[in-house]
Amino acid sequence: MVDIVSIGANTLVLGSLYALIAMGFTLIFGVAGQANLAHGGTITIGAFTAWYVAGLGGGVWLGLAAATITGALFHIVLYRVFVRHIENPVNVLILTLLAWFVIEYGFLAAIGSEPRSVPSLLGGTTSIAGVSFLYNNLLIFGLSWVFIGALFGFVNYTKTGQAIIATSMNERGAALVGIKTDDITLLTWALAGFLAGSAGVLYGSFRAASWDMGMTPLVLAFAIVILGGIGSIRGSVIAAYIIGFLEVFTISAVSPRLSGMTALLVIIIVLLVKPTGLYGRELPG
């Protein structure tokens, strides 16, 4: 029998996590027109940063703070040292794919293939409609929305955020009105790293941290960005919940072996029926 309450609860938690992951990915794509495949590696870096910090006695909350900083710094270095010198988006795709492989296999060589548990941010359980929920999962949902809301407010209600929107719409036009587009692009990479680092901790706390943990979220982020519309933060949030529901429903009501299949089907259907997605627009020139 299908447990509607459990499916709804897991959809809320997974949807918020996927939205957090996809927002960083679509932010870079929308502003710079660059697909950052190292995004999955940044999620892994975030999770293991928190795991190391907690293991050294710093606690998981300090680990969360360290993960966000580490994720942002990794993206800053990646952009300043490599990506900014590459004009062809395809070469950026290849470079970030290589960076992702280096990260994943670096962790595999350093710590092995055994998954590691990132400590819970909050212990205990509660019961809703007869179904038991971990406080940690409820907190993951809340924290995800804190980050999502903070980014949404920053982009829409600050001068720097308006510069990000202007750059995403027309980079040359933004430069003509005095916006330092290279600085804005660097900022979007840093913000995406911040979000991916935090998502890694929350995802690792929800499931577990492993050397290849970034693969599934990255594939889902692709599906979410395509469904929501490239460059659309609002579309990414809505699409994240649709993908989250489809995955949870498939695992719960059909078969766990089909996990990830729905995301691939969504990509195919959207590309055939509505290539711009729910809130898509033309890519920046």
Side-chain angles (χ1 to χ4, degrees), residues 131-132 201 204 230 246 265:
V131 178
S132 181
V201 180
I230 293 171
L246 291 175
L265 290 175

Side-chain angles (χ1 to χ4, degrees), residues 97-123:
L97 177 64
L98 292 174
W100 179 25
F101 285 160
V102 169
I103 293 166
E104 284 202 341
Y105 286 96
F107 276 111
L108 178 62
I111 64 171
S113 59
E114 183 180 352
R116 309 301 170 95
S117 297
V118 176
S120 298
L121 295 157
L122 185 64

Side-chain angles (χ1 to χ4, degrees), residues 173-186:
L176 287 175
V177 298
I179 295 174
K180 297 180 179 178
T181 55
D182 190 53
D183 291 345
I184 292 299
T185 302
L186 175 62

